[in-house]
């Protein structure tokens, strides 16, 4: 049977899906084990998350992984992602990062346990709990899997909770053709800090600004439940950053954010891709992503990454059509 050490690894589960003529009917599922409890297990499969009650599990075991990034590659990408989403209050625990941003988003308010914390694991978790208590915040730890599976097992023993799995997805740049590039757009006033990119066929311009407009910030606040001062630091305190704006009849209808970070400025980070409900299903998110990708390539980025909750199937489907695949997953763990 499975153990906590199997979290983050590829497994196969034979589950009971019914009874016919007094005999059980079985179905096999293959995927990455992202959660294991006394009552159920959750797999990240090619078709989305699958939650299986333990009572339905006939047999389960770990299987050899498909091509998996090295630990060094996961660490490098997690470092680039941290640089792209910089918390204003920071600390260190050996190689571990401690981050606080007035509670704005899990990523900016959680420890990142990669590398050596310079003390035994139980003592490291104790230190994380003390640091967040000093900030007046609940302790949270982001656990990239399977890299931080030992940390996850320690947190399980302590009764820590878990937020839904998040996929860290990547794709090479440039993106496949399909949306007009920034080169097709009309020139902009350099003093305004705006470089528009346009889809000529649709006549929709994507403006890439060096700072977010107040309207842009209002959209972000609506999505994230407010915008404290620390949030503005997270959004803007990156050397290479652009904020995408799409207007229709003078109203902001789509937004996005791009950063270029990491070793040799390799990684374009995409975040806060948002389309207002009335403007959805018009391809605006795709146009925003392409415009930011073109900018990233112009800055020397060779790959793009994004972080998306596995349960957000609409977004995962869109990103799949743009060539994104899952590099690794992480769980945000929350102290009891």
């Amino acid at each position: 049977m499975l153990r906590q050490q199997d979290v983050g690894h590829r497994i196969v589960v034979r589950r009971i899906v019914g009874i016919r003529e007094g005999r059980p009917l079985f179905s096999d599922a293959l995927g990455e084990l992202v959660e294991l409890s006394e009552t159920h297990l959750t797999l990240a499969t090619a078709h989305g998350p699958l939650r299986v009650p333990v009572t339905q599990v006939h047999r389960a075991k770990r299987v050899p992984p498909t091509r998996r990034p090295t630990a060094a590659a996961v660490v490098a990408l997690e470092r680039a992602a941290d640089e792209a989403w910089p918390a204003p209050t920071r600390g260190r625990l050996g190689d571990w990062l401690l981050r606080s941003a007035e509670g704005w988003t899990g990523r900016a308010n959680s420890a990142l346990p990669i590398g050596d914390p310079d003390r035994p694991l139980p003592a490291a978790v104790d230190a994380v709990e003390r640091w967040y208590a000093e900030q007046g915040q609940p302790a949270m730890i982001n656990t990239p899997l399977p890299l931080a599976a030992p940390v996850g097992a320690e947190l399980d023993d302590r009764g820590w909770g878990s937020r839904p799995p998040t996929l860290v997805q990547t794709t090479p740049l440039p993106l496949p053709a399909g949306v007009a590039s920034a080169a097709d757009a009309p020139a902009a006033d350099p003093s305004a800090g705006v470089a528009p990119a346009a889809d000529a066929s649709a006549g929709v311009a994507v403006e890439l600004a060096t700072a977010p407009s107040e309207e842009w910030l209002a959209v972000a606040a609506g999505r994230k439940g407010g915008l404290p001062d620390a949030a503005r630091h997270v959004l803007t305190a990156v050397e290479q950053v652009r904020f995408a704006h799409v207007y229709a009849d003078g109203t902001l209808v789509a937004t996005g954010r791009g950063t270029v970070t990491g070793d040799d400025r390799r990684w374009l980070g995409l975040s806060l891709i948002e389309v207002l409900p009335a403007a959805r299903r018009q391809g605006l998110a795709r146009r925003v992503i392409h415009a930011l990708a073109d900018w990233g390539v112009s800055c020397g980025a060779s790959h793009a990454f994004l972080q998306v909750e596995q349960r957000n199937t609409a977004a995962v489907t869109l990103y799949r059509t743009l060539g994104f695949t899952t590099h690794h997953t992480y769980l945000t763990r929350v102290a009891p």
Side-chain angles (χ1 to χ4, degrees):
M1 198 57 183
L2 299 173
R3 301 172 298 168
Q4 290 298 330
Q5 292 92 323
D6 297 311
V7 173
H9 292 273
R10 193 164 176 252
I11 67 168
V12 62
V13 176
R14 173 156 290 186
R15 57 197 176 105
I16 302 170
V17 295
I19 302 291
R20 178 182 296 169
E21 298 178 353
R23 293 186 175 184
L25 300 176
F26 298 104
S27 177
D28 291 340
L30 180 68
E32 180 179 306
L33 180 64
V34 295
E35 185 180 12
L36 178 63
S37 73
E38 294 180 358
T39 58
H40 68 274
L41 56 85
T42 303
L43 288 80
T45 75
H47 306 290
L50 176 64
R51 184 183 173 97
V52 182
V54 171
T55 54
Q56 296 179 7
V57 176
H58 176 67
R59 185 179 300 131
K61 64 178 181 178
R62 192 189 298 190
V63 296
T66 56
R67 183 180 178 186
R68 184 187 293 278
T70 64
V74 173
V75 169
L77 180 48
E78 286 290 334
R79 298 285 189 197
D82 172 69
E83 186 183 344
W85 200 255
T89 302
R90 303 172 71 85
R92 298 195 74 94
L93 198 65
D95 294 329
W96 288 18
L97 300 178
L98 307 173
R99 307 173 292 189
S100 174
E102 298 180 43
W104 194 74
T105 76
R107 278 180 284 167
N109 291 275
S110 57
L112 182 60
I114 54 178
D116 183 1
D118 199 27
R119 66 205 69 196
L121 182 54
V125 176
D126 290 342
V128 169
E129 292 176 339
R130 288 194 300 270
W131 191 87
Y132 281 99
E134 292 169 359
Q135 310 306 314
Q137 296 179 223
M140 296 196 297
I141 298 179
N142 270 10
T143 54
L145 298 173
L147 184 68
V151 178
E154 173 70 20
L155 301 182
D156 288 334
D157 291 342
R158 293 171 179 244
W160 283 49
S162 177
R163 292 184 176 178
T166 296
L167 309 179
V168 181
Q169 299 197 312
T170 64
T171 191
L173 293 176
L175 293 181
V179 175
S181 69
D184 300 322
D189 178 3
S191 65
V194 173
D199 176 359
S201 63
V204 175
V206 181
E207 298 177 359
L208 301 185
T210 56
S213 67
E214 289 303 314
E215 298 161 296
W216 195 103
L217 292 172
V219 172
R223 179 174 177 177
K224 295 294 187 181
L227 207 69
D229 290 341
R232 295 174 183 259
H233 182 280
V234 171
L235 293 171
T236 61
V238 182
E239 181 179 350
Q240 297 271 26
V241 62
R242 290 295 184 272
F243 299 88
H245 302 67
V246 178
Y247 292 90
D249 298 324
T251 300
L252 184 67
V253 295
T255 63
R257 176 179 176 271
T259 56
V260 176
T261 60
D263 294 339
D264 300 322
R265 295 295 185 232
R266 174 189 179 190
W267 289 105
L268 167 72
L270 298 170
S271 59
L272 296 172
I273 308 299
E274 182 77 10
V275 179
L276 271 59
R280 289 173 183 168
R281 300 188 179 278
Q282 300 176 30
L284 296 183
R286 184 182 296 270
R287 294 185 189 110
V288 165
I289 292 169
H290 271 266
L292 290 169
D294 289 345
W295 167 75
V297 169
S298 74
C299 295
S302 60
H303 289 74
F305 78 90
L306 52 84
Q307 295 159 312
V308 57
E309 282 194 3
Q310 186 182 57
R311 64 184 178 180
N312 188 349
T313 55
V316 171
T317 299
L318 168 64
Y319 300 143
R320 185 182 299 122
T321 67
L322 292 167
F324 283 88
T325 58
T326 298
H327 186 272
H328 63 279
T329 63
Y330 72 76
L331 292 176
T332 299
R333 306 300 304 270
V334 183

